Structures are given as structure tokens and as C-alpha cells.
Amino acid sequence: MTFRVAMDIGGTFTDVVRYDERSGQVVASKAPSTPGDLAEGVFAALDRVGADPADISFFVHGTTQGLNALLERKGAKVLLLTSEGAADVYQIARGNRTRMFDLRYRKPVPLVPRERVMEAGGRLDWRGRELAPLDEKAVRRAARRALEEGFDAVAVCLLFSYADPVHEVRAGEILREELGDRVLVVLSHEAAREWREYERTSSAVLEAYTGPVVRRYLAGIGARFAERGLGVPVHVMQSSGGLVNAAHAMARPLQTLLSGPVGGTMGGVAVARLLGGRRNAICVDMGGTSFDVSLVVDGRPDIATEASIEGFPVLMPIVNLHTIGAGGGSLAYAEAGALRVGPESAGAVPGPACYGRGGMRPTVTDANVVLGRVDPEWFAGGLMSLDVGAASAAVSGLAGELGMEPVRLAEGICQVANAKMAQAIRTITVEHGIEPRAFSLVAFGGAGAMHAAFIARELGIGEVVVPRFPGAFSAWGMLEADVRRDLTEPHFRQQDDLDGPAMAGALARLEASALRELAGQGVAGERRRVEHAVDMRYEGQDYTLTIPLRSAEEPASPGFLERIAARYAEAHTARYGHATPEAAVEFVLLRSTGLGSFPRAQAAPPVALEHAAAVRTVVFDGVEHQTPVVRRAALSGELAGPAVVVEETATTVVPPGCLVSVDEFGFLIIKVAS
């Protein structure tokens, strides 16, 4: 077994990367996804890179099954069991209005309607001490209802179970005894052992709602791979950017919710490592429909401890992703006499007009075709030819409506799309106190490299990095990720009540648990490590910041309180622009992250091929330029813009005044003129 294989299974295409451990050769390709039976698309993609399952030594993939079930509201039928008197917590949610000036704003419709919520007597106090025993008869009534009414999952969220899960554990034992494997049982302290009842309830409900879909998918694909001779565990990318094997993902399916998109972020981490001094990167993934932005800061992915997905809060480590509707298939249209682009997309069918599948409305891809920035005869590595006439007709129709020249409108479409994408980057950088000019822009996805230099110029970013196989980069990033397990334990202490040795002891117990979890994932002892952090706040604050610790033993060392308070003040200033160093701090939650590394894929550099460059007319800033169109495999040394670099999975556009070169890893480095 010599092949390490990663896959990103999307709605339109399944991207695959195969790394040969003997030769160091990396091969990437894609095959159409098969919604009726995703395994068929997976095996078709494997065939395209020549990887027999019996020859695979490591296999990882990202899946959007859970996310799609949520987006399409096709998840499980869920019964929610809460503490007596708390049945309305999930319905009431929070009173804040997330879109203050939207007159049509409505709270998201709960995934579990009120009539599917049941109560069970029993109560703990905020310290986890029992005030009243659990009403086990009520739990059994819930189990009988789940069977009689055909529920797919039961979510259990009892008050203060984060402090002591004893009641939830017992409820889970009863439900599993009554329901067996027929119904998924989710306990809130397992999904998110953190304070805040609504957020913890929401996390448990999300796991219950998406879990059966994810479990069926993972069980099915695992069985199909076993039939084909796969002799190693199937691994899955988590929303945190770490890997787990399929068995754990089936037990904790919520953690796979953003499984596919975060592969690109982890690829950005690998790029930052390979490029040495470039520790900060803005990762942009532009596909046919969406544009995803994430950050690598000081060589590490930007990970939040909570997020909101489709308006529902979720408590778990998750890569910060900002997504907008801007891609190659985004439609351009007139509104109130002005040009608009997106978020509506032409989709895969009919797609952009230039695909020749019946599309009549202009898209960003059609605009690039009109401007000459795409090679119509060798699009997607020659897999398809583009209809230039259809693209011109679509753009001309909108140009007539707006009273503009077609070429001028085509450039305007690209400029509007670039401005939207630049603003998306500002949202995740400038609005959080991060200066984008201090970052490199790592561009991937089918259309990312086509627009990256223009976006970088608008933001004042001086360097764009286009990795190898940009169209399959998210899959490549999965090969660079670590196995990851995140554990938490509530630890409410005011600074005057801090017991450093007690905190250190709690962290030591979490570390031991994390190491055991990594061992269960098949990670060798010398490749395991654990990182620790504590959630803190000023007295009187509601929300917290996560502050890294140097080790599990640090809280027991002299001067710890002063050091950690200073770190918190520094983090508070970075996040909010101010701090109150004289104010007392509180400790809320301990976090321990177990990380297990695999040997990194040492890819052989690409072999440069000879290929005569074609010359075509390309428009930049309203001026026609005779521009070389170069195959990426034939590019070496430096090339001054304008230029168009084509390959199997993407097209890179180098505007005038920019300089592109190929580094030792085969990455394209574009120096962007200001």
C-alpha cells in the first residue's frame, strides 16, 4: 500500500488527490459527483488517478452531507428531551436581533417544533449538585413516543449537565436500552460540555438533526470501500480542521458539518509552512457558486470556539469561514439602472452561457471569456471547449439594457465581483483588527486564481500564491491535517478563588483523556501532543476569550495569575481595541486539544514540460494586450504580466505590471504591483 489519497466530495464535482509515497508524485483530478450514490463518483475519481483501494495506505475525505441536510432542511425527525420547566428554552432562543435594520428579519424556524419537546423531572444546581433525582419514568415515556411516532433521533439537554452529566448519562442509558440502534441518541454534554443552555441545546439538536444522514453515508461508503479491498480506516475532516476516523465521526457527526471547505484552510497552513517566512495567509476559495475566505495567522488556522450556522448557534471548535455568493457562475443583471453580480448562480445546469448548455444570462465566467482571460479551446485541461459566441451574446444583451459597450460591461462584471470578494476579505480581517497587507493571498478553487491578483491589488496585498492543483486544493489540504480531539471542562473561578494546582490537575486529567483518544485513533505515541487553553472574561462580562496556556502545569507555577491576566488584556485589546488591566478576571472553561500528526507528504517538484505559448488578445483596464497563454507545466523562471497560465483544474490571470514565478515546490508566486 503506497498511495495516500484525499477527496473533497462537493455537490458538482468530487476532487481527488493521490500522493505516491515511493516516488513523491502527486496527481489530482476530478469526476462528477453522483448525488444518487456518492460512492460511484468517489470510485470514478479514484479510477481517474489510478488508485486501487487495495493500494491505499491512508484515506481521508471531506463531506457536505450534514451541511446539505441542514441547508435543504432534509435532516432527521428529532425529539427533544429537556428538564422540567425548560421546554421552551429552544423555542425562545435569544432576544437579540442579528440584523438590526432588516425590516423583514425573522428568527430561524427551530429544527424541533414545540410539540416535539418533552420534559423529565429532576434537577441539579449550577454546581452540579443534585436537588431532585431524575424522573426515569418520564425518560421511558420519551423512548416509547420516539418508537411509536417514528423519530430518527432523540436529543437530551438537561439543566446544568455541563457541571455534572450524571442525569444525562442515566437518561442516555435508558434511551439506548429502550431504543437500541434504531434511534440516534445525542447527549448535550457529549456534543458541547459548555455553559449557556440555549447554545448547548442548539448544538445537541443540530447533531441529532444531521447525525442520521452522516452516519448512513459513512456506514455506506465504508462498506463499499471494504468491498473494494480498502485495508485502512476511512478518515473524515472535521470542522476544526482536524481528522478523525469514520467510527468517531459516526459517534460525533456534528463535528463534520463544515468538513469539505476547511480542507483549503489546512492547505493554507501547509503552504505557510513550506514557504518559510510567510506565516500569515488569507485563503480564498472561489468556485462556481461561492467564495470562501479563511485565515492562517502565525502559521495556525484561525479557529473559533463557537459559530452560527444557518442562524443556529453551535458550540465546538470550528475554522472561521466567511462565505458569500460570488463565483464563476454568479449571474450579472441590471437593477434600478445599475449593474449587480450574484448571489444568484447559473449552477451546474444550465451553467454559464459559454458552456453551451442553454444558459442565456451572463455570468462572471462569460465576462472572462469575452475579455479573453480564458482559453476556450483548453478549458479544464481540454475536458470541454467554451462557446465564445454564446458568452458574447449573453454579455451583449445586458450591455444593451444598460447602454454600455459589451467589453466595458464584461470588465465591469469582473470588477463588481472583485469588489464583493475584497469586501468579504475585509469582513474577516479589517473588521477584526487584522491588516490584510501583512498577509499573502493563497488563491485556489476553479476560479480563485483568475481573480486573485485583482483582489490583492484592491486590498494592497503584495503577493499572491497559487498552489499546485488549485481546483483540488481542499483535497490536498486534507493530507496535511492532523488528527484532532477537543475536550472541555467547566472551571468557574473568580481570580480571588483561583487554585492553580487544582486547575493544573484538571488540565492533567484532560491531557490524559486526549492522549487516550489519540491512541484510539491509531496515532503513534511519539506523534501525539496536547495543547491547553482557558476561556476568560472580566467580571461582569458575558462572553469570553480563549487564552492559550504554555502547558498543563503552568497554572501551578508562581506568578501565573499576573501572567494570564496580562495575556487576556493583550487579547482583549487585539479583539476589541481596548482592555481594563486593573479589572478582575474570571475563569470559565478549560480546553485541551489533542493533536496527532502523520508523516507529511514530501511531494516531488513538478517536471517542467516544453510547450509553445499561444498569444491571444486580452483586455485589461479597457486596453487590448497581446498576451501569452502558457501551460503551467511549461512555465519556469519568471514571466512578466500580462499573461494567462492554464492547467487542468484552473486558470491564473497575471495582469500587466505583475510578475509571476515558479518556486521550488511548484507554487506560482505573483508579485502584485500597487
Side-chain angles (χ1 to χ4, degrees), residues 608-609 630-639 660-663 668:
L609 303 176
V630 185
R631 300 278 177 92
R632 180 165 180 166
L635 187 62
S636 61
E638 294 182 340
L639 178 64
V660 61
S661 60
V662 183
D663 75 354
L668 297 183

Side-chain angles (χ1 to χ4, degrees), residues 174-426:
I174 294 170
L175 289 169
R176 286 163 180 149
E177 172 191 325
E178 297 278 348
L179 301 174
D181 295 331
R182 289 166 291 182
V183 178
L184 173 65
V185 176
V186 175
L187 307 180
S188 73
H189 77 275
E190 294 178 344
R193 192 176 177 182
E194 301 186 33
W195 68 302
R196 290 195 228 127
E197 295 304 320
Y198 168 60
E199 285 77 4
R200 184 159 45 84
T201 303
S202 176
S203 300
V205 167
L206 276 170
E207 180 152 292
Y209 187 77
T210 61
V213 173
V214 175
R215 295 179 77 183
R216 284 194 299 270
Y217 162 73
L218 290 175
I221 203 166
R224 296 286 292 276
F225 264 103
E227 292 171 1
R228 298 285 188 106
L230 182 71
V232 296
V234 173
H235 284 81
V236 184
M237 174 65 74
Q238 299 180 97
S239 302
S240 63
L243 308 179
V244 290
N245 60 33
H248 179 83
M250 291 173 70
R252 297 270 70 85
L254 179 65
Q255 297 172 3
T256 69
L257 208 56
L258 295 181
S259 175
V262 301
T265 308
M266 302 315 295
V269 172
V271 168
R273 185 184 72 250
L274 291 172
L275 294 181
R278 301 168 179 86
R279 300 283 292 169
N280 298 323
I282 299 170
C283 303
V284 296
D285 181 359
M286 182 180 180
T289 303
S290 64
F291 178 78
D292 299 327
V293 186
S294 58
L295 299 179
V296 176
V297 181
D298 195 26
R300 301 167 67 91
D302 179 31
I303 296 176
T305 57
E306 60 182 288
S308 177
I309 301 176
E310 286 292 287
F312 300 110
V314 57
L315 298 174
M316 67 177 180
I318 189 167
V319 171
N320 269 323
L321 279 170
H322 183 59
T323 302
I324 63 169
S330 294
L331 291 166
Y333 58 98
E335 182 179 76
L339 174 64
R340 299 283 187 267
V341 179
E344 185 183 358
S345 171
V349 178
C354 61
Y355 283 11
R357 298 173 182 166
M360 303 294 290
R361 299 171 64 187
T363 66
V364 174
T365 297
D366 292 314
N368 279 302
V369 169
V370 169
L371 296 171
R373 298 176 184 176
V374 178
D375 185 350
E377 285 79 36
W378 207 71
F379 186 72
L383 291 178
M384 63 185 299
S385 297
L386 301 182
D387 188 336
V388 178
S392 298
V395 172
S396 296
L398 181 59
E401 186 177 345
L402 291 169
M404 299 176 65
E405 293 293 326
V407 172
R408 185 183 176 195
L409 175 66
E411 198 153 24
I413 291 171
C414 291
Q415 289 169 349
V416 170
N418 292 338
K420 289 182 65 175
M421 292 184 281
Q423 183 55 41
I425 294 173
R426 292 188 186 97

Side-chain angles (χ1 to χ4, degrees), residues 71-148:
L71 295 176
E72 298 170 12
R73 295 299 190 271
K74 295 181 179 178
K77 182 179 179 182
V78 178
L79 178 69
L80 174 60
L81 181 64
T82 71
S83 294
E84 190 173 42
D88 293 310
V89 165
Y90 185 60
Q91 306 297 317
I92 294 172
R94 294 293 177 187
N96 59 308
R97 188 184 182 95
T98 57
R99 295 197 297 274
M100 187 68 68
F101 303 106
D102 184 354
L103 298 179
R104 297 181 178 86
Y105 172 74
R106 295 290 182 274
K107 284 185 179 180
V109 177
L111 300 175
V112 178
R114 179 62 178 80
E115 62 270 17
R116 295 180 184 174
V117 182
M118 296 183 67
E119 299 180 1
R123 182 64 62 90
L124 305 176
D125 70 7
W126 68 273
R127 296 180 180 88
R129 296 183 300 204
E130 186 175 82
L131 301 178
L134 177 68
D135 183 353
E136 297 189 1
K137 292 182 180 179
V139 179
R140 295 190 187 277
R141 285 196 297 271
R144 287 196 297 271
R145 180 181 175 186
L147 288 176
E148 292 168 0

Side-chain angles (χ1 to χ4, degrees), residues 373 418 450-459 620 653-655:
R373 298 176 184 176
N418 292 338
M450 196 178 301
H451 292 261
F454 302 96
I455 298 170
R457 181 176 288 169
E458 182 156 339
L459 294 168
F620 296 96
V653 176
V654 184

Side-chain angles (χ1 to χ4, degrees), residues 575-592:
R575 180 65 180 87
Y576 299 110
H578 66 90
T580 312
E582 66 277 9
V585 296
E586 293 179 333
F587 302 89
V588 177
L589 189 77
L590 303 180
R591 298 183 182 275
S592 294

